[in-house]
């Protein structure tokens, strides 16, 4: 899921879907941002896939489950820890601090182009040397 998420973020969110994603790169004016629609879309897709394959537990069910689990991890790490949308989760864990730093590097550029570090959970050492 992380590799697919990286691809979607780099080529779709910073491409044709920038009109929604740009709200995430701007100073927040409220708790919700247009970018949050992606979470709703992915949640609906995952629930649909699990629902249509609920009797067979085939590949569609497990794709939906994978999207759900990644979404939960993404919410905790990205929204809760990195962006502090809820002020209750702090950590001095080296890995989590690297994730936060890489994401801050990504947000350093507020525009559609010239972005770096499009992933979330895999942090390249070359990104952190900046």
């Amino acid at each position: 899921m992380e590799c697919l998420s990286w691809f979607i973020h780099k080529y779709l969110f910073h491409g044709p879907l920038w009109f929604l994603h740009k709200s995430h790169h701007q100073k927040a004016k409220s708790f919700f941002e247009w970018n949050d629609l992606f979470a709703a879309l992915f949640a609906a897709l995952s629930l649909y896939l699990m629902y249509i394959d609920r009797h067979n537990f085939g590949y569609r069910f497990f794709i939906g489950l994978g999207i759900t689990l990644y979404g939960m991890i993404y919410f905790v790490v990205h929204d809760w820890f990195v962006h502090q949308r809820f002020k209750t989760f702090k950590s001095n864990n080296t890995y989590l601090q690297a994730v936060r730093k890489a994401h801050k590097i990504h947000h350093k550029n507020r525009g559609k182009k010239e972005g770096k570090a499009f992933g979330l959970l895999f942090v390249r050492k070359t990104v952190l040397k900046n």
Side-chain angles (χ1 to χ4, degrees):
M1 281 304 302
E2 175 71 359
C3 296
L4 183 59
S5 178
W6 176 90
F7 181 87
I8 290 169
H9 186 189
K10 182 170 183 165
Y11 294 107
L12 295 178
F13 290 7
H14 282 259
L17 298 175
W18 176 251
F19 70 100
L20 290 174
H21 183 61
K22 71 180 174 183
S23 67
H24 182 62
H25 285 266
Q26 298 169 340
K27 187 165 174 58
K29 296 179 179 127
S30 69
F31 183 77
F32 291 106
E33 51 194 46
W34 284 104
N35 187 68
D36 292 334
L37 288 175
F38 292 121
L41 174 71
F42 289 126
L45 174 63
S46 67
L47 289 171
Y48 172 74
L49 289 170
M50 288 189 292
Y51 179 78
I52 64 171
D53 213 6
R54 70 191 179 281
H55 298 297
N56 301 325
F57 294 109
Y59 72 94
R60 290 174 294 217
F61 179 87
F62 288 102
I63 290 172
L65 182 61
I67 294 169
T68 298
L69 293 174
Y70 184 81
M72 291 167 62
I73 292 167
Y74 185 91
F75 172 76
V76 170
V77 173
H78 179 266
D79 290 343
W80 204 342
F81 177 69
V82 172
H83 285 289
Q84 298 285 302
R85 285 178 93 170
F86 304 99
K87 308 279 188 212
T88 59
F89 181 32
K90 295 183 183 199
S91 175
N92 290 325
N93 176 278
T94 304
Y95 167 71
L96 289 176
Q97 290 300 322
V99 166
R100 176 180 273 157
K101 183 176 180 187
H103 202 71
K104 299 284 184 191
I105 290 168
H106 176 71
H107 278 269
K108 193 176 199 179
N109 174 24
R110 297 224 178 246
K112 179 178 176 180
K113 304 284 186 202
E114 307 299 323
K116 294 182 183 178
F118 289 95
L120 179 66
L121 301 176
F122 299 154
V123 180
R124 292 177 35 201
K125 290 181 183 177
T126 56
V127 172
L128 297 176
K129 290 182 182 178
N130 291 337

